[in-house]
Structure formats: structure tokens, C-alpha cells
């Protein structure tokens, strides 16, 4: 599964893509957390890895629970931009997100609200066969 979200505002200098075989939200999130710790180190992101892993956890849980992924796959891309921002793209099979604004504002669950509370800019982009939910976490700034 590949991300079809719009390109970031700064060029990508390092990235890693993975596919998570979806079973249950907690299992899927655990698999993503374990793999992402290694990949965050290899792409050289200087920001807080705990927030990044928590963001990945929440996004993968949401995809597993609401993205029609049970028994299928969830795509995950972690990328560092030239500006040292971290892009986290999670791809699922549901092209709709009718209550996105309510979800981010905390009126509908807490997953995306937490991601926004971590300081991430959260967006979503539909595409054929599903959607990409993107969180952008700022890196360490001088």
C-alpha cells in the first residue's frame, strides 16, 4: 500500500515504508510501535521519538478499527523532511472520513485529538481504494 497524500512542503530526505497485516487494533498498533522505533532512528529524526511512536500508535489503531482493514493491510510511511519535520502517513481501505473535524477536535473519540494535542498537524486525503491520514510532527528546531 502506498501513500497518495499530497507532497510535503519540504523535500523528503529519508523515509521508511512498511505494511502491517491487520488483525486487531491493539495488535496492529503494537506491531507498528515496535517497528517504528528502529525506523525513527535510521531516518535520523531529531524530534521526540516518544511523541512520534504515540502518534503512530493512535493512527494505526484508528486505521485498524475504522479503515476496513480487518484481515487486510495497513500501510505506514515514516519520512523526515529537509526541514526535519516527521511525516507519518497511514493508509487504510476506507475512502471516507465523514467526521474528521469532529475527531481531531475531540468531539468524536480521542485518538486524533491526542495526535493533534501532541503538536501534529493532522490531515486526510481520499484516493482510489482508501485514504491516507497524515500527521506532521515538527522536528527539533534550533
Amino acid at each position: 500500500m502506498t501513500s497518495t497524500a499530497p507532497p510535503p512542503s519540504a523535500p523528503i530526505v529519508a523515509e521508511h515504508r512498511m505494511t502491517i497485516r491487520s488483525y486487531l487494533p491493539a495488535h496492529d498498533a503494537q506491531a507498528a510501535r515496535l517497528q517504528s522505533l528502529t525506523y525513527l532512528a535510521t531516518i535520523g529524526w531529531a524530534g521526540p521519538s516518544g511523541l512520534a511512536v504515540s502518534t503512530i500508535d493512535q493512527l494505526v489503531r484508528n486505521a485498524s478499527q475504522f479503515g476496513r482493514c480487518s484481515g487486510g493491510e495497513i500501510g505506514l510511511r515514516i519520512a523526515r523532511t529537509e526541514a526535519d519535520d516527521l511525516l507519518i502517513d497511514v493508509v487504510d481501505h476506507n475512502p471516507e472520513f465523514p467526521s474528521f473535524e469532529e475527531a481531531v477536535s475531540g468531539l468524536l473519540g480521542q485518538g486524533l485529538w491526542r495526535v493533534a494535542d501532541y503538536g501534529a498537524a493532522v490531515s486526510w486525503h481520499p484516493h482510489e481504494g482508501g485514504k491516507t491520514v497524515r500527521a506532521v510532527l515538527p522536528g527539533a528546531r534550533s
Side-chain angles (χ1 to χ4, degrees):
M1 300 182 79
T2 59
S3 172
T4 57
S9 58
I12 291 176
V13 295
E15 74 176 324
H16 185 79
R17 295 174 188 264
M18 65 188 97
T19 301
I20 299 161
R21 183 90 174 131
S22 182
Y23 297 102
L24 296 169
H27 177 272
D28 300 343
Q30 180 182 21
R33 282 193 315 271
L34 292 173
Q35 293 179 56
S36 64
L37 280 170
T38 301
Y39 300 131
L40 285 167
T42 59
I43 66 171
W45 187 58
S49 60
L51 287 181
V53 171
S54 294
T55 298
I56 290 164
D57 177 285
Q58 292 295 329
L59 295 180
V60 169
R61 279 178 193 272
N62 279 0
S64 180
Q65 188 171 0
F66 304 112
R68 298 182 192 155
C69 294
S70 182
E73 297 177 339
I74 298 168
L76 174 61
R77 178 177 80 148
I78 303 168
R80 181 174 58 90
T81 70
E82 196 172 72
D84 201 37
D85 291 332
L86 184 70
L87 274 64
I88 302 166
D89 288 337
V90 175
V91 181
D92 67 36
H93 299 286
N94 185 353
E96 300 175 1
F97 205 141
S99 303
F100 175 77
E101 295 299 327
E102 290 87 350
V104 172
S105 68
L107 297 174
L108 183 65
Q110 293 187 2
L112 290 184
W113 173 82
R114 282 191 181 123
V115 170
D117 194 49
Y118 298 153
V122 185
S123 60
W124 77 283
H125 314 279
H127 50 79
E128 177 125 5
K131 71 176 167 297
T132 299
V133 177
R134 174 176 284 172
V136 180
L137 285 166
R141 304 283 196 251
S142 305

